[in-house]
Amino acid sequence: MQRWRALIVLGTAQFLMVLDTSVMNVSISTLVEDFDTEVTAIQAVITLYTLVMAAFMITGGKLGDAFGRRLTFTVGLIIYAVGSALTSVAPSLWVLALGWSVIEGLGATLVLPALAALVAGAYRGRDRSVAYGVIGGLAGAGIAVGPLLGGWVTTYLTWRLVFAGEVVLVVAMLCVIRWIPDAPPGPRTKLDAGGVALSAAGLALVVLGVLQSSSWGWLKPRNPPFLLFGFAPTLFVIAAGAVVLWLFCCWERRQQERGRNPLVRLSLFGVPPLRSGLTMLLCQNLVLLGLFFVIPLYLQVVQGLNAFETGVRLLPVSVAMLLSAMSGPLLGRIAAPRTVVRCGLLVLVVAAGWLLATIEPRIDNLSFGLAMAVLGLGMGLLASQLGNIVQSSVGESERSEAGGLQYTAQNLGSSLGTALIGSLLIGALVSAFTTQIEDDPKISDAARHQAGIAMEAGVSFVSTDQVRAAAERAGLPPSETDALVDSYATAQLNSLKAAVLAAAVIPLAAFPFTRRLPAERPAKEAARSAGG
């Protein structure tokens, strides 16, 4: 039992990192009401949290190498607790963004790369495979408990208590931090500040462009702050981010040529299993966080469920993910990692297709629950393999760097998932609503004009009751109001289906990138190495 003490602390940390996002996703409607804001503002806060982690995760890994992984892990937890405490008392949206998105996000950038390296350092062989299975399972548990606990606390008490509870949990972890064995820090080297700035700026611009596409428009201007050559600035911002990331790569090569320590050794991307594993992590989180942004909107805004009822309906995906993620060591006896990951991707496609069929005006709870369970099964199959694939593809000296890349891929996927799927949702809503009201003879040209002006001013995913109230305030007659509300309700469902369909395409697009994943069972590979 003593050998697993370290895993208790490390697993709790992983659970904590995942809990936050799932609580936020299930509390979207309450947060909109509490801070008197819109869904797109909460979307931005959620995206900023994962963006901060994606932008500085590699830096966190480097600091772990320089100062010691356990020390970095400890400092990260303390910063995370400070952010949680501020979030729990946030009086406004910008304080929420500061406490949760920025401070907690920065704490996580120290915790997670160190966590990945500490697991790899504490366990060997089969124990390491078991440990990564448990870590993946506890990530699933965080997703499981988050909607249920967060939904119950949000509905019957306040969401703020979840973040206050996190502070208590961190204090308990700090009391037993010495259970984790630590390796001595490596040689102290100068941090590549230029690499940090370029990577953070490039990632921020790409995600900002995707996030704002819902309000700015992709090419045709919708409500942008400025125009470029008569077009919306969205694609220009994304292109600028891509250029900055290219400059980052050039900078890193130059650093290495001069014998300096780069932020990222680009040669790591030449390791095929690592490259494929990172791609799979990116795609997994694109799908997971994209759907976990869309589905609560369907349950709360369309179906009118409260946060706790939403959490109950998300429970099947979470329980299935927990169980299948912890099956990693067992699956390793009968199938190669590549086979398991490919099965997981196919299961995700089936789950998204099934979920698509359940999005109707009246929810079929049984069919919806089964679709969510299948989604959790696919996510868990991926989670059971990917952490071990990434860490096993590099040597001991590269573990923190690989951990930084691992969580960068995850959080970049989370940022882009929330931003991209959210943007597609809003874009599809505008397109579907415009088509609906144009084709409806019950709606006058004046009402269409008023709706067009409202959409130009900015679109948010709101309930049909809010649309009805707005139409009545505008003085529309009851027959036109009813027709407008019906058109919006149809557009809502169509936009949700478009977002889920986009999520179904991602695993199919990821399938070719599985070719370089390990094709032998871990046990067989270990036996061959021992024999050699």
Side-chain angles (χ1 to χ4, degrees), residues 135-137 139-140 143 276-292 321-322 324-325 341 344-345 348 375-387 390 406-407 409-418 421 503 506-508 510:
I135 292 293
I143 294 173
S276 293
L278 294 175
T279 304
M280 292 304 104
L281 284 166
L282 179 75
C283 293
Q284 178 194 20
N285 284 274
L286 266 171
V287 176
L288 182 62
L289 269 294
L291 288 178
F292 262 59
M321 183 175 176
L322 170 61
S324 58
V341 170
L345 292 174
L348 289 183
L375 177 67
L377 173 63
M379 286 294 170
L381 288 174
L382 297 181
S384 72
Q385 305 297 313
L386 295 179
V390 169
Q406 174 183 338
Y407 285 105
Q410 284 186 216
N411 287 288
L412 182 59
S414 299
S415 294
L416 289 174
T418 305
I421 302 298
I506 294 168
L508 288 174

Side-chain angles (χ1 to χ4, degrees), residues 35-126:
F35 293 109
D36 191 24
T37 186
E38 296 179 343
V39 168
T40 47
I42 303 303
Q43 177 195 7
V45 171
I46 294 171
T47 303
L48 178 60
Y49 175 63
T50 50
L51 176 59
V52 167
M53 289 197 282
F56 296 103
M57 198 66 72
I58 300 170
T59 306
K62 284 290 184 183
L63 293 172
D65 286 339
F67 294 98
R69 292 162 186 170
R70 191 173 68 188
L71 175 61
T72 307
F73 181 80
T74 304
V75 172
L77 283 177
I78 294 169
I79 294 172
Y80 194 88
V82 170
S84 294
L86 181 59
T87 302
S88 69
V89 297
S92 61
L93 189 65
W94 78 265
V95 177
L96 176 76
L98 175 64
W100 188 62
S101 303
V102 178
I103 298 178
E104 283 193 45
L106 289 173
T109 63
L110 296 177
V111 170
L112 290 171
L115 185 154
L118 288 167
V119 171
Y123 302 102
R124 296 283 185 276
R126 181 169 170 74

Side-chain angles (χ1 to χ4, degrees), residues 136-148 288 292 311-327 369-370 372-381:
L138 285 168
I143 294 173
V145 172
L148 202 60
L288 182 62
F292 262 59
V312 170
R313 282 161 179 80
L314 292 178
L315 191 57
V317 66
S318 310
V319 172
M321 183 175 176
L322 170 61
L323 295 176
S324 58
M326 295 186 72
S327 68
L370 291 173
M372 294 300 282
V374 174
L375 177 67
L377 173 63
M379 286 294 170
L381 288 174

Side-chain angles (χ1 to χ4, degrees), residues 10 146 149 173 180 188 225 259 271 316 318 324 334 365 373 379 497:
L10 295 169
L149 174 64
M173 292 166 63
I180 305 172
R188 192 74 58 85
V271 180
S318 310
S324 58
I334 58 176
N365 286 314
M379 286 294 170
K497 289 179 179 180

Side-chain angles (χ1 to χ4, degrees), residues 1-8 122-124 126-127 179 181:
M1 180 61 190
Q2 190 166 351
R3 64 175 173 159
W4 299 114
R5 292 193 312 176
L7 191 60
I8 294 172
Y123 302 102
R124 296 283 185 276
R126 181 169 170 74
D127 283 354
W179 286 1

